[in-house]
Amino acid sequence: MSSSLSARRSRLAAALALDDALLVVGAGHPVALPEGSDQTYPFRSHAEYFHLTDRECAGGVVVFDPRDGVETGWVSFVPAVTEAERVWEGRRQTEGTDLNALAGWLEARRGRPIAGLGAPPVDLAIDGALSARIREAFSHARRVKDEGEIARIRAAAAATAAGFATLAPLIRPGQSERALQIELEAGFFRAGASRPGYGTIIGSGPNSAVLHFEPSERRLRDGEFVLVDAGAEIDRYMADVTRTYVAGTPSGFQRDLYDVVLGAEERAIARCVPGAEWKALHLATAVDLVSGLVSLGVMRGQPESLVEQEAHTLFFPHGVGHMVGLGVRDGSGLQPGRLKDPRPSLRTLRMDLPLAAGYVVTIEPGLYFIPPLLTDPARRERFQACVNWPLVDQHLATGGVRIEDNILVTSGSPENLTRAIPKRW
Ligand code: GLY
Ligand code: MN
Ligand code: MN
């Protein structure tokens, strides 16, 4: 095992404060495709297991007994590779203790509470409340990225930049969303990506207002927005980037809307400093976006007051970002001890915590004309005075703009890990 992995385990062991409890973290098992073929969905070890082992190992279980020491208390149990796996998949035996020995390890510690993380073996008597507490502490402890993790996120960001560099010159009327996806992802792979980190999102014209639009055969038309949200993954670490382009010539309104989002994004990035409260950062970004909409004549009123009334959610219905790294949402969530803020406008905010040096977060403000929200009679009535509805009606097919970068919080200025991907046009 590498020294950095062993250091990571020791750091986690200290952070979990297990007292006398045992920790059992399972990788999980492949899930068969429903067709009854002998294929499975692509297997990926549970992120909690991967974080402790740095490997894909179906059926693997890593355990920790605090009585045996923060460094020496860990044992990694792995299943014996079968002949069929060798023949059909070319699998090799993973290093570790035979999984059959797990029962004896547990037996020798019988009666002690067990915290189960990842996808723990189903026949274990897991303590649910204890597991929830340990999972919260585990997620929190892995929010600060170590050097090896940051190196992988940088590599994923570089491959992502290569894909976007391939894509950008191809944005023109007549191209289909699907053709763009193919070139973008080919660019990721050529630059060393293991796979796209999540389903690539490409929406043109009105589709750019669908937050997670799957690329279709639709062809771009002159003067339409094209929103591209995608990231390369390398060794399980990924980037999550959005750029919005215009096919052909942008209108004055598109430029203005874009500049509002870009300005809000850059201000939000500058706010990513240790101690910054994520919720406050989100709301400040909402105020910036609303100020822009007021100056464009789309909204009416005083920006802070409009945000207090939740009117921003008409055009900015998602959160300002989330953590990214080992998974597209990585360790997002709540600071230990906090409860989810019940305000409806914060329902889609994926985190409530203060930032700290070593966190990697996305910053992804957006403004969209989303017909299901903007034609909803209840919203029209509630926000009657806040919005220039005739102007909104003119723009119901305009789509939307999102700009997303990945930011490393440091003790100094925030570092934009995806700054190599151009966003000025
Ligand atoms: N790629 C999905 C997101 O931005 O959260
Ligand atoms: Mn994204
Ligand atoms: Mn994102």
Side-chain angles (χ1 to χ4, degrees):
M1 190 180 36
S2 70
S3 57
S4 58
L5 194 53
S6 146
R8 184 183 295 173
R9 286 185 182 180
S10 302
R11 185 163 70 86
L12 276 158
L16 297 185
L18 282 159
D19 302 325
D20 198 41
L22 306 171
L23 178 67
V24 177
V25 188
H29 294 275
V31 176
L33 287 170
E35 295 85 16
S37 67
D38 55 4
Q39 297 208 318
T40 66
Y41 289 100
F43 175 76
R44 293 155 74 71
S45 295
H46 194 290
E48 288 165 347
Y49 176 89
F50 191 90
H51 190 68
L52 292 168
T53 61
D54 202 23
R55 67 186 178 203
E56 305 296 356
C57 179
V61 179
V62 62
V63 299
F64 173 64
D65 179 349
R67 281 193 201 162
D68 295 343
V70 288
E71 246 174 74
T72 46
W74 296 90
V75 186
S76 181
F77 293 99
V78 297
V81 68
T82 65
E83 184 184 87
E85 287 163 347
R86 287 186 202 275
V87 170
W88 289 86
E89 300 162 35
R91 236 196 263 180
R92 302 228 181 107
Q93 182 58 50
T94 311
E95 222 177 273
T97 305
D98 192 310
L99 186 60
N100 290 317
L102 173 60
W105 188 90
L106 289 165
E107 181 57 31
R109 294 162 178 79
R110 186 204 270 274
R112 290 169 58 190
I114 301 176
L117 294 195
V122 289
D123 50 356
L124 272 191
I126 300 283
D127 180 327
L130 172 72
S131 301
R133 181 178 72 73
I134 297 300
R135 170 160 282 142
E136 182 182 64
F138 189 99
S139 297
H140 185 62
R142 72 185 184 89
R143 286 181 177 140
V144 174
K145 299 284 167 283
D146 60 36
E147 259 176 45
E149 295 183 286
I150 291 173
R152 285 190 191 176
I153 298 172
R154 285 187 195 282
T160 303
F164 273 89
T166 309
L167 168 89
L170 305 174
I171 305 267
R172 61 174 106 79
Q175 286 278 20
S176 73
E177 296 164 351
R178 173 76 66 217
L180 295 176
Q181 175 192 14
I182 291 166
E183 299 308 322
L184 173 71
E185 293 183 3
F188 292 168
F189 282 116
R190 278 190 215 104
S194 329
R195 37 165 257 151
Y198 52 91
T200 293
I201 296 161
I202 300 183
S204 60
N207 296 344
S208 60
V210 179
L211 300 178
H212 285 173
F213 191 79
E214 252 184 64
S216 73
E217 294 298 343
R218 184 181 190 279
R219 289 181 189 276
L220 283 46
R221 298 185 198 144
D222 191 28
E224 284 186 338
F225 278 131
V226 186
L227 185 153
V228 181
D229 180 345
E233 177 179 313
I234 293 186
D235 295 336
R236 286 293 298 265
Y237 284 77
M238 62 189 64
D240 175 9
V241 173
T242 307
R243 293 291 182 264
T244 306
Y245 307 90
V246 171
T249 316
S251 68
F253 183 78
Q254 283 173 317
R255 276 194 184 284
D256 290 345
L257 192 70
Y258 188 86
D259 285 346
V260 168
V261 178
L262 183 57
E265 199 230 12
E266 290 182 342
R267 286 169 61 97
I269 290 173
R271 293 184 183 116
C272 291
V273 295
E277 281 290 343
W278 192 250
K279 207 173 4 180
L281 199 154
H282 170 77
L283 291 170
T285 306
V287 169
D288 287 344
L289 292 169
V290 165
S291 301
L293 289 178
V294 170
S295 63
L296 293 187
V298 175
M299 295 190 85
R300 294 177 172 138
Q302 204 270 334
E304 280 83 7
S305 153
L306 288 167
V307 170
E308 262 163 41
Q309 296 170 64
E310 310 190 324
H312 61 287
T313 58
L314 291 167
F315 303 97
F316 174 44
H318 58 75
V320 71
H322 50 83
M323 298 199 152
V324 65
L326 178 51
V328 73
R329 306 272 181 253
D330 200 340
S332 302
L334 307 176
Q335 182 78 354
R338 289 192 187 175
L339 297 174
K340 178 92 181 148
D341 191 312
R343 279 178 278 178
S345 66
L346 296 174
R347 196 174 40 83
T348 52
L349 190 60
R350 298 184 191 275
M351 305 199 288
D352 181 1
L353 42 73
L355 294 179
Y359 287 12
V360 179
V361 296
T362 72
I363 288 291
E364 51 180 305
L367 287 174
Y368 317 82
F369 290 88
I370 303 177
L373 301 182
L374 296 174
T375 60
D376 168 38
R379 287 184 174 84
R380 286 215 172 203
E381 195 185 321
R382 177 174 171 204
F383 297 116
Q384 170 56 33
C386 307
V387 173
N388 178 350
W389 290 105
L391 185 57
V392 165
D393 284 335
Q394 283 175 34
H395 283 291
L396 280 179
T398 291
V401 174
R402 175 163 70 249
I403 306 173
E404 176 174 26
D405 281 295
N406 301 167
I407 311 303
L408 172 63
V409 182
T410 76
S411 54
S413 303
E415 181 183 349
N416 184 347
L417 301 175
T418 48
R419 64 187 175 279
I421 306 173
K423 55 186 170 182
R424 292 197 178 273
W425 42 258

